[in-house]
Amino acid sequence: MESSGISRRAMLLGAGAVTAWAASPARALLARVDAMAASPMIESLLARMTVAEKAGQLTLNAAAWAGGAANALNPTKAGATFDAQLGEVRAGQLGGVFNGHGTDMAQRMQTVAMREARLKIPLIFAADVIHGFRTVFPVPLGEAGSFDPDLAEQTARAAAVEASAAGIDWTFAPMVDIAHDQRWGRAVEGAGEDVFLGRMMAAARVRGFQGTKGLTADDAVMACAKHFAAYGAGEGGLDYNSVDVSERTLRDVYFPPFQAAFGAGVGSTMASFNEISGVPATANPWLLDTVLRKEWGFGGLVVSDYTGDEELIAHGFAADAREATRLAFMAGVDMSMQSNFYRDHLPALVASGAVPMARLDQAVRRVLLAKQALGLFDDPFRRIDAKRERTRVRTKAHLALARDAGRRSIVLLKNDGDLLPLPRSGKRIALIGPFAQGQRELIGPWNVYGSDKEAVDLLSGVRALVADPASVTATDGSGIDAPLPGGIEAAVAAANAADIVILAVGEAQNMSGEAQSRADIVVPAAQMALAAAVAATGKPIVVALRNGRALALSGAVLEAPAILVTWFLGSQSGLAIADILFGIAAPSARLPVSFPYATGQEPYHYAHKSTGRPNPEGPRVDYKAHYREVPNAARFAFGHGLTYGKIGYSDLQLAGGKLAWDGTLEVRATITNSGTRAAEEVVQLYIHDVAASITRPVRELKAFRRVRLAAGARQEVVFTLKRSDLQFVGLDLKPTVEPGQFRLWVAPSAQAEGVSATFELVAA
Ligand code: BGC
């Protein structure tokens, strides 16, 4: 590689994933939005609409149907009643509702829209279907740990089948925000810290929600890639906080999962709450128009987040409601969620000329086209069918998928002395901890329609799989945040009476999710005291962590011989964990986020830059990039996860060690299981661009493969690299590839050496 950035040959590549949007079938209809030749039916409807009715179509409010978790998560407007909302539908003042409840509600509302409103425009019913509907799947972060996009597609499909049966047309998912800072509670909703994994999961989830039969299918829901953009980059990991990132980092890190979602045909996107370098995303014409529409050609719908336009006032960006409306609308937010700002202020803004009628029509057209794409003009009741609602949810197949998804999401962090798997008979087992038993803390944050009451807890799961259920006891030992009177004594007695302890500790489900940033990402002190007391009994301990983010583990929890990361696994939680505990299924998931040594390292992610003073391996050297207290590394690295086998990496071969400019490079490595049990290994390929015109991360994931290895088996894994795998966002902010040296690892995690070599990308 040439040493000077100036003499280097930079190659501009096409923005492939993005242009794919215009070509894929599911969005053929939506893509017509900006071509003025939209549907004649919609054009004639537009011609008949008053400005007030147009503003009504751009208004989306929380359903005022009483009760349920949905209302707790997203309270309806003060004073909003269902009758008042029906009145709004009748008057053409509402385009849709979100997080409503079931087909009865949808039937009543849609009937009013179709029979009593002047123009008979169907409502659109939206909902946060983030990780399952009535069947609850693992939280998205946990499921990302499966490193299995097909699994994510299947669970999104099952969620869509259930949600659509309950009248839902549109889901506010997938959440595709990259999260480098694990203090941020919403990390739980996404796919973790990595761009490559994030892209794979984003596209898979879109495919799953929208299905393959087109959006008109009665089991398809329109997906919404959110939150555009860089919501995960809030300062200090604080939810809603300001973001200050360079355009390069936006393009390199935060945009690609959105581009992957657009490439997979997602029908909508949601503007994020945060500002980006001083301009709130909700009123950011560069983001929502220059990049999204003009550069990427996105033709779908842009919706605000919940009161996102109203919040422009608190941001200090708009002086009042009217200005906030104008700024958000003119920046490119088509539909306003929950503030009523569009309904209240667009008519006057249009009358005054501050908002052109053409822009109003463009936004309304997008909403109507989304409704048309979903088949609602042909049959407004196509997803509203009480019988389907009863028969399509919580089916045997969906529950089996939830169990499988659960076990494929569990990460085995440690397994000293091969403590796991446990025998199914002959041992007395004490389940100890606030997550040991009970219909609570199972389904995880951001699940609006599932219920802990319908989920399997750890005690039931373990008892279902052991020969003698009476050999298993359960003791809380502690509350989640506070000690229980006599709890530790009871737990120690239970441990003493057992052969093995399963310690179920971690975070409550309301400790992650929206507005749940934590200043210290640890197991709460009361549970640490419990862990220490139980460890003092000397009994072998398997920790089963419940968590919605990476945690900084310490003390008796960290020192336990075996640790499982079990996230929030949803409906079949206890069974999925028990399957892994007893070896009915083997652990195969990997950390989608780095578990740090200490919270103070956050934001920590493996793909950080080297700095001018990288910390050398081995004994501490002064004046290097490290902390006084902890290494500049993860305690458990991104990509880490053990199996029940004994896996080795060898025989790396890089055919010739050179990648020709227009060629491919075959990378071969041999993976061996020298253990006595079958294993499924996620083989990861990382690269590092040794010298480039823009400094590059110390490692970047570029591919992964899952291999199944029987005991004693070995297999060669082959990856094929090409030039585009080495591209990054260059000095000119365009995708760039530079010839030169690259380091490559085929390894079991971002921190493991595995097998490594260098190769050269040769200039044409
Ligand atoms: C969240 C969104 C969600 C919306 C509607 C907001 O508070 O940020 O992710 O889709 O509420 O429930």
Side-chain angles (χ1 to χ4, degrees):
M1 176 178 266
E2 297 144 279
S3 58
S4 140
I6 301 163
S7 63
R8 191 168 299 193
R9 168 173 176 168
M11 175 75 186
L12 189 75
L13 296 174
V18 182
T19 42
W21 200 90
S24 66
R27 56 216 157 276
L29 189 56
L30 289 170
R32 288 198 318 214
V33 173
D34 281 328
M36 280 313 188
S39 138
M41 184 277 287
I42 284 173
E43 292 309 305
S44 100
L45 195 50
L46 262 175
R48 284 181 289 137
M49 291 172 84
T50 64
V51 169
E53 283 166 334
K54 290 177 183 175
Q57 280 305 305
L58 306 183
T59 299
L60 179 72
N61 280 342
W65 187 258
N71 287 142
L73 278 165
N74 292 126
T76 47
K77 281 252 171 237
T81 63
F82 189 59
D83 279 347
Q85 214 159 48
L86 288 180
E88 293 172 357
V89 175
R90 201 171 286 121
Q93 291 177 356
L94 202 57
V97 292
F98 64 96
N99 289 350
H101 285 269
T103 48
D104 281 0
M105 183 209 81
Q107 178 78 33
R108 285 184 61 187
M109 295 193 86
Q110 199 68 304
T111 303
V112 171
M114 298 317 293
R115 297 225 180 111
E116 299 175 35
R118 189 177 81 89
L119 291 171
K120 309 195 179 353
I121 301 174
L123 291 165
I124 191 167
F125 295 94
D128 288 285
V129 183
I130 310 292
H131 56 110
F133 189 70
R134 286 278 307 285
T135 306
V136 185
F137 299 108
V139 288
L141 182 64
E143 189 185 67
S146 70
F147 276 60
D148 189 346
D150 289 344
L151 176 69
E153 181 170 342
Q154 286 168 38
T155 61
R157 184 87 290 273
V161 165
E162 293 197 2
S164 59
I168 290 164
D169 307 301
W170 180 19
T171 174
F172 298 142
M175 191 275 222
V176 305
D177 299 314
I178 296 289
H180 286 172
D181 195 323
Q182 294 298 303
R183 291 171 293 181
W184 190 47
R186 300 198 78 170
V188 69
E189 292 174 58
E193 71 181 47
D194 183 61
V195 178
F196 183 79
L197 183 61
R199 282 170 43 213
M200 299 294 123
M201 289 294 172
R205 287 175 173 146
V206 170
R207 287 195 300 270
F209 285 127
Q210 298 194 162
T212 51
K213 293 174 281 180
L215 283 180
T216 53
D218 70 21
D219 65 0
V221 294
M222 181 168 78
C224 180
K226 70 184 189 185
H227 307 80
F228 194 56
Y231 184 33
E235 284 174 12
L238 181 67
D239 203 7
Y240 315 123
N241 209 3
S242 315
V243 169
D244 200 345
V245 289
S246 67
E247 182 175 342
R248 176 167 303 105
T249 301
L250 282 173
R251 290 182 180 277
D252 220 24
V253 175
Y254 294 99
F255 285 171
F258 285 93
Q259 293 171 278
F262 298 139
V266 74
S268 65
T269 188
M270 185 186 288
S272 56
F273 285 132
N274 53 286
E275 67 162 66
I276 302 173
S277 310
V279 182
T282 302
N284 195 319
W286 174 78
L287 186 69
L288 300 180
D289 193 52
T290 309
V291 175
L292 183 68
R293 300 290 185 196
K294 302 206 169 81
E295 185 181 325
W296 297 348
F298 179 64
L301 182 62
V302 177
V303 65
S304 80
D305 201 345
Y306 191 98
T307 62
D309 47 6
E310 184 176 342
E311 291 170 24
L312 296 175
I313 302 170
H315 272 293
F317 196 75
D320 55 27
R322 183 186 157 102
E323 196 185 5
T325 304
R326 182 178 60 79
L327 289 169
F329 191 63
M330 292 311 292
V333 174
D334 298 312
M335 199 175 201
S336 161
M337 192 198 295
Q338 194 61 13
S339 66
N340 286 332
F341 270 26
Y342 282 18
R343 182 160 86 194
D344 293 347
H345 300 286
L346 276 179
L349 283 164
V350 171
S352 73
V355 164
M357 185 68 90
R359 165 68 187 127
L360 184 65
D361 286 349
Q362 179 191 49
V364 176
R365 204 176 272 123
R366 288 191 183 120
V367 171
L368 298 180
L369 271 155
K371 292 181 176 182
Q372 191 183 52
L374 285 158
L376 294 174
F377 283 104
D378 296 333
D379 177 5
F381 297 90
R382 71 192 315 123
R383 295 185 185 79
I384 307 175
D385 178 331
K387 181 161 168 277
R388 277 206 309 253
E389 185 178 14
R390 284 190 302 278
T391 54
R392 270 200 205 160
V393 299
R394 284 180 63 81
T395 59
K396 265 196 177 144
H398 288 180
L399 289 171
L401 178 61
R403 183 168 177 171
D404 191 38
R407 43 200 204 188
R408 291 208 262 157
S409 302
I410 295 171
V411 184
L412 177 62
L413 289 187
K414 259 180 102 173
N415 195 17
D416 294 352
D418 289 339
L419 178 58
L420 290 175
L422 303 175
R424 290 170 78 179
S425 62
K427 297 279 182 203
R428 293 164 303 164
I429 299 175
L431 301 184
I432 295 176
F435 305 97
Q437 59 183 331
Q439 305 307 125
R440 50 176 201 263
E441 307 292 343
L442 297 165
I443 62 173
W446 265 119
N447 193 284
V448 181
Y449 299 95
S451 163
D452 278 330
K453 302 272 176 303
E454 293 178 334
V456 181
D457 70 342
L458 183 58
L459 176 62
S460 313
V462 168
R463 283 207 168 134
L465 295 193
V466 292
D468 175 13
S471 65
V472 182
T473 62
T475 315
D476 288 358
S478 170
I480 293 172
D481 274 316
L484 280 180
I488 289 195
E489 292 75 5
V492 167
N496 278 326
D499 303 307
I500 294 162
V501 173
I502 297 171
L503 189 63
V505 291
E507 297 186 294
Q509 60 193 15
N510 67 7
M511 289 167 80
S512 54
E514 185 170 350
Q516 306 305 329
S517 295
R518 294 187 68 196
D520 209 2
I521 53 172
V522 295
V523 174
Q527 296 179 64
M528 291 305 294
L530 171 69
V534 171
T537 64
K539 299 290 172 157
I541 295 179
V542 178
V543 169
L545 279 180
R546 188 131 329 156
N547 53 316
R549 55 160 64 74
L551 293 175
L553 302 178
S554 64
V557 169
L558 178 65
E559 278 146 30
I563 306 177
L564 291 169
V565 177
T566 76
W567 317 105
F568 291 90
L569 296 178
S571 298
Q572 300 290 76
S573 199
L575 285 165
I577 300 170
D579 284 339
I580 297 290
L581 286 170
F582 298 108
I584 289 154
S588 63
R590 301 303 172 113
L591 290 181
V593 279
S594 309
F595 275 44
Y597 284 83
T599 307
Q601 290 174 268
E602 296 292 320
Y604 182 85
H605 61 115
Y606 81 89
H608 58 75
K609 300 294 185 72
S610 169
T611 80
R613 296 189 177 189
N615 195 38
E617 304 232 327
R620 189 185 166 91
V621 183
D622 238 340
Y623 298 101
K624 297 292 180 190
H626 55 55
Y627 294 96
R628 291 180 65 83
E629 303 88 348
V630 293
N632 183 17
R635 170 85 73 180
F636 297 104
F638 172 89
H640 171 72
L642 302 174
T643 68
Y644 287 158
K646 197 165 180 304
I647 305 296
Y649 286 62
S650 63
D651 301 325
L652 181 66
Q653 292 167 43
L654 297 184
K658 289 198 195 306
L659 170 57
W661 193 248
D662 290 315
T664 55
L665 176 64
E666 272 199 355
V667 178
R668 293 168 179 273
T670 301
I671 317 299
T672 308
N673 178 7
S674 58
T676 55
R677 289 178 170 271
E680 223 175 287
E681 175 73 0
V682 178
V683 181
Q684 300 152 48
L685 187 150
Y686 295 91
I687 62 142
H688 169 62
D689 192 338
V690 174
S693 56
I694 301 289
T695 60
R696 300 303 301 151
V698 293
R699 275 199 199 191
E700 289 176 89
L701 183 67
K702 289 295 171 185
F704 54 82
R705 286 259 197 300
R706 176 174 289 280
V707 290
R708 290 195 173 80
L709 293 162
R714 58 167 48 209
Q715 194 181 312
E716 190 178 56
V717 177
V718 184
F719 296 96
T720 306
L721 279 182
K722 47 191 185 322
R723 187 179 81 220
S724 59
D725 293 319
L726 310 178
Q727 81 182 41
F728 58 91
V729 177
L731 276 169
D732 58 359
L733 300 174
K734 301 272 172 26
T736 300
V737 183
E738 294 168 353
Q741 292 290 315
F742 290 80
R743 179 107 191 260
L744 175 146
W745 296 259
V746 177
S749 83
Q751 244 165 244
E753 189 56 27
V755 281
S756 74
T758 54
F759 71 91
E760 187 188 349
L761 173 64
V762 185

